[in-house]
Amino acid sequence: MKGTAKAHTNIALIKYWGKRNEELILPTNSSLSVTLDGLHTETTVQFHEDLQEDVFVLDNKEVTGVAYDRVTNYLNLFRNYAKKQGLFAEVTSTNKVPTAAGFASSASGFAALAGATSKALDLQLSDEDLSRFTRQGSGSACRSIYGGFVEWQMGERDDGQDSFAVQVAPQDHWDIRVAAVVLTAEEKDVSSRVGMRRTVETSVFYDGWLQSLPKDMETIKEGIRDKDFEKVGKVAEANCLKMHATTFGATPPFTYWQDTTMSLMQTVQNLRKKDIPAYFTIDAGPNVKVIYLPEHEGEVLRTLEAARGVEKIIVSKVGAGISYK
Ligand code: ADP
Ligand code: DP6
C-alpha cells in the first residue's frame, strides 16, 4: 500500500483570498493560476498495518505540531472515504521549493500528498475528484493537479461538490516564463490561512476586492486564449495589488511586503518603461514572481539579479500536472 506522486506548485494570476467555509475550504471567489515547472514536491505515502499513528518526514526531518496535525487530519479524509480508519501511514516528502515563504509549498505539498495517498489506497480517482480532495488540504493546491493554466471554480454548493479546478489551457498552449525571486527564504509570520481569515473578517476593503473579481477573471481568460501578454500581465499585477490592499484594511492591519518587495515591484515597473513587458505578482509572503516572455529572458534576469536584496532566482516555464512513479 504505497504510492508516490510529484506535483508542481502554481502561482495565482487571479488570487484566491478568502473562504466561505473554513472546514471544507470553499472559497469566496474563483481563482486562476499557472503551474510552474521549476518548483515541485515529491511525496511517498506508505500505509502499514503495524503503525500506531501517522509519521510525517519532510526534507529528512520528522515533523510534529501544526504541520503534522494538518497532514494527519488530511489523511483522515482519505481513511474515511476508503473506510480504512485505524490504518496509519508513513509520509515522506521532499520540497524543491522553500517551505512557508510564499512559494506555495503547501500547494505542491498537498497536491503530491493527495496523489500519493490515493495511489497508495488504490482509489482510482478522476482528476476532478482528486482536485476536490486536494482542495481540502490547502485551497490553492487543488489547482496543482493540472498543468498549464488552471481555474479553480469556486462553486456555489454548501457541500463543495462543485468547487474544484479545471484546466483552462494546456502546458504547451503558451510559453511564458516566471522568475520566482527569493528575497528571504525565512518562514513568514502570518500564514496565508490566518491572513485571509483576518482579512475576510475585518478588512474594510474586502467587499471592493470581491466586486472586482468577475471582471478580472473574464479579462485574464481572454488574454490567455489570445496569448495577449500585456492584457494578462496588467490584470494579474492589478489583481495582486488589490489582494494585498485588503491586508492594509484589516484589524490589526498587516502586510506581507518588506522594503525589498516594494523596491522589486518598482524594478519590474521600470523594465516596462524600457519597453520590456514584465509584470509582478506576490502571494502571502515577501517574495516576488515576475512574468515575462522568453525573448526578454536575458534582460529581465540581468535586471532582477542586480536588484537590491535578491538572494536567488528560480526560473520556471509553464509546468505539467501531477505525475506518479
Ligand atoms: P507556502 O507559501 O509555502 O505555501 P503556507 O503557510 O501556505 O506557505 O503553507 C506552508 C505549510 O504547508 C507548511 O507549514 C506545512 O504545513 C505545509 N506543507 C508544506 N510542504 C508540505 C509537504 N511537502 N507536505 C505536506 N504539507 C506541506
Ligand atoms: C495568496 O491555499 O495557502 O497564495 O486554503 O488556507 O491552505 P489555505 O490557503 P492557501 O492560500 C493561497 C493564497 C494565495 C493566493 C492563491 O494562491 O490563489
mmCIF file of all heavy atoms in Angstrom, residues 10-12 14-17 19 25 31 70 104 106-107 135 137-141 143 152 192-193 196 243 282-284, ligand 2:
data_model
loop_
_atom_site.group_PDB
_atom_site.id
_atom_site.type_symbol
_atom_site.label_atom_id
_atom_site.label_comp_id
_atom_site.label_asym_id
_atom_site.label_seq_id
_atom_site.Cartn_x
_atom_site.Cartn_y
_atom_site.Cartn_z
ATOM 1 N N ASN A 10 2.040 26.186 -8.037
ATOM 2 C CA ASN A 10 1.422 27.065 -9.032
ATOM 3 C C ASN A 10 1.438 28.479 -8.496
ATOM 4 O O ASN A 10 1.548 28.697 -7.294
ATOM 5 C CB ASN A 10 -0.001 26.594 -9.341
ATOM 6 C CG ASN A 10 -0.959 26.780 -8.170
ATOM 7 O OD1 ASN A 10 -1.423 27.888 -7.887
ATOM 8 N ND2 ASN A 10 -1.256 25.679 -7.460
ATOM 9 N N ILE A 11 1.348 29.423 -9.419
ATOM 10 C CA ILE A 11 1.291 30.818 -9.000
ATOM 11 C C ILE A 11 -0.025 31.403 -9.511
ATOM 12 O O ILE A 11 -0.331 31.281 -10.696
ATOM 13 C CB ILE A 11 2.528 31.615 -9.477
ATOM 14 C CG1 ILE A 11 2.373 33.104 -9.179
ATOM 15 C CG2 ILE A 11 2.834 31.424 -10.951
ATOM 16 C CD1 ILE A 11 2.559 33.449 -7.748
ATOM 17 N N ALA A 12 -0.772 31.988 -8.586
ATOM 18 C CA ALA A 12 -2.073 32.541 -8.978
ATOM 19 C C ALA A 12 -1.894 33.884 -9.665
ATOM 20 O O ALA A 12 -1.164 34.753 -9.181
ATOM 21 C CB ALA A 12 -2.952 32.703 -7.742
ATOM 22 N N ILE A 14 -4.892 35.307 -10.774
ATOM 23 C CA ILE A 14 -6.077 35.856 -10.103
ATOM 24 C C ILE A 14 -6.116 35.118 -8.773
ATOM 25 O O ILE A 14 -6.203 33.882 -8.738
ATOM 26 C CB ILE A 14 -7.376 35.572 -10.906
ATOM 27 C CG1 ILE A 14 -7.280 36.151 -12.321
ATOM 28 C CG2 ILE A 14 -8.601 36.111 -10.157
ATOM 29 C CD1 ILE A 14 -7.211 37.655 -12.436
ATOM 30 N N LYS A 15 -6.013 35.855 -7.684
ATOM 31 C CA LYS A 15 -5.776 35.233 -6.377
ATOM 32 C C LYS A 15 -7.028 34.671 -5.728
ATOM 33 O O LYS A 15 -8.106 35.264 -5.841
ATOM 34 C CB LYS A 15 -5.197 36.271 -5.396
ATOM 35 C CG LYS A 15 -3.969 36.999 -5.866
ATOM 36 C CD LYS A 15 -2.770 36.088 -5.976
ATOM 37 C CE LYS A 15 -1.519 36.853 -6.350
ATOM 38 N NZ LYS A 15 -0.449 35.943 -6.783
ATOM 39 N N TYR A 16 -6.829 33.580 -5.022
ATOM 40 C CA TYR A 16 -7.818 33.051 -4.060
ATOM 41 C C TYR A 16 -7.501 33.743 -2.753
ATOM 42 O O TYR A 16 -6.385 33.623 -2.244
ATOM 43 C CB TYR A 16 -7.625 31.540 -3.991
ATOM 44 C CG TYR A 16 -7.857 30.840 -2.674
ATOM 45 C CD1 TYR A 16 -9.041 31.015 -1.951
ATOM 46 C CD2 TYR A 16 -6.888 29.965 -2.169
ATOM 47 C CE1 TYR A 16 -9.241 30.333 -0.755
ATOM 48 C CE2 TYR A 16 -7.078 29.273 -0.986
ATOM 49 C CZ TYR A 16 -8.256 29.466 -0.273
ATOM 50 O OH TYR A 16 -8.443 28.798 0.897
ATOM 51 N N TRP A 17 -8.467 34.488 -2.215
ATOM 52 C CA TRP A 17 -8.166 35.199 -0.965
ATOM 53 C C TRP A 17 -9.429 35.299 -0.131
ATOM 54 O O TRP A 17 -10.126 36.301 -0.138
ATOM 55 C CB TRP A 17 -7.546 36.586 -1.258
ATOM 56 C CG TRP A 17 -6.899 37.218 -0.067
ATOM 57 C CD1 TRP A 17 -7.260 38.402 0.536
ATOM 58 C CD2 TRP A 17 -5.789 36.718 0.689
ATOM 59 N NE1 TRP A 17 -6.455 38.658 1.620
ATOM 60 C CE2 TRP A 17 -5.537 37.629 1.725
ATOM 61 C CE3 TRP A 17 -4.984 35.573 0.592
ATOM 62 C CZ2 TRP A 17 -4.510 37.441 2.666
ATOM 63 C CZ3 TRP A 17 -3.974 35.380 1.523
ATOM 64 C CH2 TRP A 17 -3.748 36.315 2.535
ATOM 65 N N LYS A 19 -12.262 32.516 2.453
ATOM 66 C CA LYS A 19 -13.070 31.287 2.436
ATOM 67 C C LYS A 19 -14.507 31.595 2.844
ATOM 68 O O LYS A 19 -14.729 32.437 3.710
ATOM 69 C CB LYS A 19 -12.502 30.281 3.438
ATOM 70 C CG LYS A 19 -11.102 29.795 3.139
ATOM 71 C CD LYS A 19 -10.667 28.782 4.198
ATOM 72 C CE LYS A 19 -9.251 28.276 3.960
ATOM 73 N NZ LYS A 19 -8.197 29.282 4.151
ATOM 74 N N ILE A 25 -12.934 24.150 3.075
ATOM 75 C CA ILE A 25 -12.115 25.027 2.223
ATOM 76 C C ILE A 25 -12.862 25.359 0.928
ATOM 77 O O ILE A 25 -12.507 24.906 -0.175
ATOM 78 C CB ILE A 25 -10.689 24.487 1.973
ATOM 79 C CG1 ILE A 25 -10.048 24.117 3.320
ATOM 80 C CG2 ILE A 25 -9.840 25.502 1.226
ATOM 81 C CD1 ILE A 25 -8.540 24.089 3.361
ATOM 82 N N SER A 31 -10.383 31.490 -8.804
ATOM 83 C CA SER A 31 -9.004 31.966 -8.980
ATOM 84 C C SER A 31 -8.391 31.277 -10.195
ATOM 85 O O SER A 31 -8.954 30.289 -10.697
ATOM 86 C CB SER A 31 -8.184 31.679 -7.715
ATOM 87 O OG SER A 31 -8.265 30.308 -7.368
ATOM 88 N N ARG A 70 -1.926 18.929 10.403
ATOM 89 C CA ARG A 70 -2.569 19.227 9.115
ATOM 90 C C ARG A 70 -2.523 17.999 8.209
ATOM 91 O O ARG A 70 -3.504 17.662 7.553
ATOM 92 C CB ARG A 70 -1.810 20.382 8.461
ATOM 93 C CG ARG A 70 -2.720 21.486 8.005
ATOM 94 C CD ARG A 70 -1.931 22.647 7.503
ATOM 95 N NE ARG A 70 -2.434 23.015 6.175
ATOM 96 C CZ ARG A 70 -2.022 24.078 5.500
ATOM 97 N NH1 ARG A 70 -1.116 24.884 6.012
ATOM 98 N NH2 ARG A 70 -2.523 24.350 4.316
ATOM 99 N N ALA A 104 4.241 28.845 -2.144
ATOM 100 C CA ALA A 104 3.207 27.834 -2.311
ATOM 101 C C ALA A 104 3.731 26.411 -2.135
ATOM 102 O O ALA A 104 3.416 25.525 -2.917
ATOM 103 C CB ALA A 104 2.505 28.010 -3.656
ATOM 104 N N SER A 106 2.736 24.711 0.195
ATOM 105 C CA SER A 106 1.525 23.986 0.579
ATOM 106 C C SER A 106 0.782 23.502 -0.667
ATOM 107 O O SER A 106 0.147 22.451 -0.629
ATOM 108 C CB SER A 106 0.617 24.836 1.465
ATOM 109 O OG SER A 106 0.320 26.053 0.855
ATOM 110 N N ALA A 107 0.875 24.238 -1.766
ATOM 111 C CA ALA A 107 0.153 23.834 -2.986
ATOM 112 C C ALA A 107 0.750 22.556 -3.573
ATOM 113 O O ALA A 107 0.048 21.555 -3.764
ATOM 114 C CB ALA A 107 0.172 24.950 -4.021
ATOM 115 N N ARG A 135 -8.204 20.202 -2.539
ATOM 116 C CA ARG A 135 -8.718 21.487 -2.042
ATOM 117 C C ARG A 135 -8.842 21.490 -0.518
ATOM 118 O O ARG A 135 -8.603 22.497 0.144
ATOM 119 C CB ARG A 135 -10.114 21.698 -2.668
ATOM 120 C CG ARG A 135 -10.741 23.032 -2.387
ATOM 121 C CD ARG A 135 -12.243 22.978 -2.658
ATOM 122 N NE ARG A 135 -12.944 22.337 -1.566
ATOM 123 C CZ ARG A 135 -13.951 21.466 -1.687
ATOM 124 N NH1 ARG A 135 -14.411 21.117 -2.876
ATOM 125 N NH2 ARG A 135 -14.504 20.938 -0.615
ATOM 126 N N GLY A 137 -7.004 20.007 1.614
ATOM 127 C CA GLY A 137 -5.711 20.092 2.297
ATOM 128 C C GLY A 137 -5.240 21.530 2.312
ATOM 129 O O GLY A 137 -4.878 22.091 3.343
ATOM 130 N N SER A 138 -5.274 22.170 1.168
ATOM 131 C CA SER A 138 -4.944 23.581 1.025
ATOM 132 C C SER A 138 -5.622 24.047 -0.262
ATOM 133 O O SER A 138 -5.488 23.397 -1.299
ATOM 134 C CB SER A 138 -3.430 23.750 0.928
ATOM 135 O OG SER A 138 -3.125 25.114 0.749
ATOM 136 N N GLY A 139 -6.358 25.142 -0.166
ATOM 137 C CA GLY A 139 -7.180 25.565 -1.297
ATOM 138 C C GLY A 139 -6.410 25.657 -2.604
ATOM 139 O O GLY A 139 -6.756 25.008 -3.605
ATOM 140 N N SER A 140 -5.328 26.443 -2.592
ATOM 141 C CA SER A 140 -4.601 26.687 -3.837
ATOM 142 C C SER A 140 -4.021 25.398 -4.425
ATOM 143 O O SER A 140 -3.729 25.320 -5.618
ATOM 144 C CB SER A 140 -3.476 27.697 -3.599
ATOM 145 O OG SER A 140 -2.637 27.242 -2.560
ATOM 146 N N ALA A 141 -3.863 24.371 -3.594
ATOM 147 C CA ALA A 141 -3.294 23.100 -4.056
ATOM 148 C C ALA A 141 -4.186 22.418 -5.081
ATOM 149 O O ALA A 141 -3.690 21.667 -5.934
ATOM 150 C CB ALA A 141 -3.063 22.173 -2.865
ATOM 151 N N ARG A 143 -5.397 23.489 -7.620
ATOM 152 C CA ARG A 143 -5.037 23.887 -8.994
ATOM 153 C C ARG A 143 -3.805 23.131 -9.485
ATOM 154 O O ARG A 143 -3.547 23.071 -10.686
ATOM 155 C CB ARG A 143 -4.786 25.402 -9.044
ATOM 156 C CG ARG A 143 -6.027 26.246 -8.654
ATOM 157 C CD ARG A 143 -5.753 27.748 -8.799
ATOM 158 N NE ARG A 143 -4.565 28.145 -8.087
ATOM 159 C CZ ARG A 143 -4.510 29.071 -7.120
ATOM 160 N NH1 ARG A 143 -5.594 29.736 -6.762
ATOM 161 N NH2 ARG A 143 -3.380 29.350 -6.531
ATOM 162 N N TRP A 152 -9.642 27.492 -10.614
ATOM 163 C CA TRP A 152 -10.392 26.860 -9.517
ATOM 164 C C TRP A 152 -11.760 27.521 -9.510
ATOM 165 O O TRP A 152 -11.877 28.706 -9.180
ATOM 166 C CB TRP A 152 -9.668 27.063 -8.202
ATOM 167 C CG TRP A 152 -10.412 26.577 -6.973
ATOM 168 C CD1 TRP A 152 -11.543 25.805 -6.915
ATOM 169 C CD2 TRP A 152 -10.053 26.855 -5.610
ATOM 170 N NE1 TRP A 152 -11.906 25.586 -5.606
ATOM 171 C CE2 TRP A 152 -11.008 26.215 -4.796
ATOM 172 C CE3 TRP A 152 -9.017 27.576 -5.016
ATOM 173 C CZ2 TRP A 152 -10.964 26.298 -3.392
ATOM 174 C CZ3 TRP A 152 -8.967 27.652 -3.625
ATOM 175 C CH2 TRP A 152 -9.936 27.011 -2.823
ATOM 176 N N SER A 192 -0.905 32.147 5.085
ATOM 177 C CA SER A 192 -1.987 32.595 4.193
ATOM 178 C C SER A 192 -3.339 32.295 4.840
ATOM 179 O O SER A 192 -4.282 33.075 4.718
ATOM 180 C CB SER A 192 -1.861 31.945 2.814
ATOM 181 O OG SER A 192 -1.431 30.620 2.908
ATOM 182 N N ARG A 193 -3.410 31.164 5.550
ATOM 183 C CA ARG A 193 -4.681 30.783 6.174
ATOM 184 C C ARG A 193 -5.135 31.828 7.179
ATOM 185 O O ARG A 193 -6.276 32.288 7.157
ATOM 186 C CB ARG A 193 -4.498 29.417 6.854
ATOM 187 C CG ARG A 193 -5.768 28.805 7.304
ATOM 188 C CD ARG A 193 -5.661 27.310 7.431
ATOM 189 N NE ARG A 193 -5.585 26.645 6.136
ATOM 190 C CZ ARG A 193 -5.731 25.330 5.979
ATOM 191 N NH1 ARG A 193 -5.925 24.553 7.023
ATOM 192 N NH2 ARG A 193 -5.662 24.782 4.778
ATOM 193 N N MET A 196 -5.790 35.346 5.406
ATOM 194 C CA MET A 196 -7.052 35.521 4.665
ATOM 195 C C MET A 196 -8.247 35.535 5.606
ATOM 196 O O MET A 196 -9.213 36.256 5.382
ATOM 197 C CB MET A 196 -7.190 34.535 3.499
ATOM 198 C CG MET A 196 -7.491 33.132 3.795
ATOM 199 S SD MET A 196 -7.826 32.220 2.256
ATOM 200 C CE MET A 196 -6.202 31.906 1.613
ATOM 201 N N MET A 243 -5.408 42.408 -3.876
ATOM 202 C CA MET A 243 -5.402 41.429 -2.788
ATOM 203 C C MET A 243 -4.583 41.937 -1.609
ATOM 204 O O MET A 243 -5.017 41.892 -0.459
ATOM 205 C CB MET A 243 -4.821 40.096 -3.272
ATOM 206 C CG MET A 243 -4.733 39.053 -2.191
ATOM 207 S SD MET A 243 -3.395 37.870 -2.465
ATOM 208 C CE MET A 243 -2.430 38.079 -0.996
ATOM 209 N N ILE A 282 2.546 38.638 -6.298
ATOM 210 C CA ILE A 282 3.090 38.300 -4.972
ATOM 211 C C ILE A 282 2.020 37.536 -4.200
ATOM 212 O O ILE A 282 0.864 37.957 -4.182
ATOM 213 C CB ILE A 282 3.445 39.588 -4.185
ATOM 214 C CG1 ILE A 282 4.428 40.440 -4.988
ATOM 215 C CG2 ILE A 282 4.000 39.271 -2.797
ATOM 216 C CD1 ILE A 282 4.449 41.889 -4.552
ATOM 217 N N ASP A 283 2.406 36.425 -3.563
ATOM 218 C CA ASP A 283 1.447 35.692 -2.732
ATOM 219 C C ASP A 283 1.605 36.116 -1.271
ATOM 220 O O ASP A 283 2.069 37.208 -0.998
ATOM 221 C CB ASP A 283 1.611 34.184 -2.930
ATOM 222 C CG ASP A 283 0.904 33.723 -4.209
ATOM 223 O OD1 ASP A 283 0.016 34.458 -4.679
ATOM 224 O OD2 ASP A 283 1.255 32.659 -4.727
ATOM 225 N N ALA A 284 1.245 35.235 -0.358
ATOM 226 C CA ALA A 284 1.249 35.609 1.047
ATOM 227 C C ALA A 284 2.658 35.499 1.631
ATOM 228 O O ALA A 284 2.939 34.659 2.479
ATOM 229 C CB ALA A 284 0.277 34.723 1.806
HETATM 230 C C1 DP6 B 2 -2.168 34.303 -1.667
HETATM 231 O O1 DP6 B 2 -4.090 27.869 -0.487
HETATM 232 O O2 DP6 B 2 -2.244 28.533 1.104
HETATM 233 O O3 DP6 B 2 -1.340 32.221 -2.428
HETATM 234 O O4 DP6 B 2 -6.565 27.148 1.632
HETATM 235 O O5 DP6 B 2 -5.870 28.121 3.806
HETATM 236 O O6 DP6 B 2 -4.421 26.435 2.696
HETATM 237 P P1 DP6 B 2 -5.420 27.550 2.502
HETATM 238 O O7 DP6 B 2 -4.648 28.754 1.787
HETATM 239 P P2 DP6 B 2 -3.619 28.757 0.585
HETATM 240 O O8 DP6 B 2 -3.753 30.277 0.128
HETATM 241 C C2 DP6 B 2 -3.169 30.761 -1.027
HETATM 242 C C3 DP6 B 2 -3.341 32.232 -1.102
HETATM 243 C C4 DP6 B 2 -2.531 32.917 -2.169
HETATM 244 C C5 DP6 B 2 -3.331 33.095 -3.450
HETATM 245 C C6 DP6 B 2 -3.505 31.898 -4.336
HETATM 246 O O9 DP6 B 2 -2.638 31.019 -4.407
HETATM 247 O O10 DP6 B 2 -4.534 31.864 -5.046
#
